[in-house]
Amino acid sequence: NEWHNNPIEGSKPRETRFKSNRHTDPLAPEYVLPRCKLEKPPTPKFIRDGYTVTDIDGTVPKPLYPLAMRDTYNVHDIEGAQASWRPRHERARREAPPRDGLDVRDIMDEGFTTTRVTDPMNPHYFMNGMETCDDPIRTKPRALPKAIPGPYRSLYTDDILGAKSGWGAPPEKQPPPPK
């Protein structure tokens, strides 16, 4: 067909709807954002520092304090001075596995034996692995004096008139009854 005009551009009507190469899915959008490659700025070649005069004697001031200052705020050698520090008994309780308070197998199965000393006249304590006890010379009272053989007459009151229970005054010493 020689009357066809396909090879001539613009001789046929074209589509009037908008065409784009953009594909969008409103439920799962994918956006292609513009990108660029950043280049590092060139570093200048170091030739020399014209302001430095440290190679000349006497151009640098002497240090104000020739000795290093002590670190007075450091408290790492003091126990308990750090944040979130806990005493040893609290750390042991927190780090140990949980304890069942109603479990009495240690008492019922093996039998309970105590190492507690309950002698108030001669106490012994064990604290931090050391034994602490009273000094027998400075903490005990002096011994009683030896008993005197025979009766102890200073407590008898038989010779004192009126020092007996149930004693009454003789009738001649009593006042007259009221009328």
Side-chain angles (χ1 to χ4, degrees):
N1 261 326
E2 54 192 70
W3 299 102
H4 287 284
N5 53 6
N6 285 345
I8 304 170
E9 186 178 337
S11 63
K12 285 176 66 174
R14 58 183 170 172
E15 292 185 40
T16 57
R17 63 183 178 157
F18 178 72
K19 285 186 177 181
S20 172
N21 60 357
R22 201 169 128 194
H23 302 287
T24 57
D25 183 8
L27 298 177
E30 293 181 15
Y31 300 107
V32 180
L33 300 175
R35 296 185 182 129
C36 68
K37 182 179 178 183
L38 295 176
E39 294 184 9
K40 292 183 180 178
T43 56
K45 181 181 171 188
F46 179 77
I47 299 171
R48 71 179 182 94
D49 188 5
Y51 294 112
T52 303
V53 290
T54 55
D55 56 342
I56 304 170
D57 291 335
T59 58
V60 179
K62 292 180 182 175
L64 183 62
Y65 301 107
L67 301 175
M69 294 182 68
R70 289 188 302 168
D71 186 11
T72 56
Y73 293 110
N74 189 357
V75 291
H76 292 297
D77 56 340
I78 302 171
E79 183 181 1
Q82 291 83 22
S84 70
W85 178 85
R86 299 252 181 225
R88 184 174 48 168
H89 66 278
E90 280 190 31
R91 284 190 315 239
R93 183 172 37 89
R94 288 173 182 253
E95 295 167 2
R99 188 174 71 89
D100 185 10
L102 300 176
D103 185 14
V104 293
R105 281 182 287 166
D106 60 337
I107 301 170
M108 302 304 288
D109 291 347
E110 296 133 21
F112 181 70
T113 57
T114 182
T115 58
R116 186 174 169 192
V117 177
T118 57
D119 184 6
M121 297 304 289
N122 191 16
H124 287 275
Y125 303 104
F126 290 96
M127 293 182 289
N128 300 327
M130 297 183 337
E131 179 184 9
T132 304
C133 58
D134 279 345
D135 185 10
I137 296 171
R138 292 185 179 88
T139 60
K140 304 279 186 218
R142 283 185 284 174
L144 293 173
K146 292 181 181 179
I148 299 173
Y152 194 60
R153 299 256 180 227
S154 67
L155 297 178
Y156 291 138
T157 58
D158 293 340
D159 57 341
I160 301 172
L161 187 63
K164 276 194 235 179
S165 63
W167 179 83
E172 61 270 0
K173 299 275 182 174
Q174 292 182 359
K179 291 185 184 181

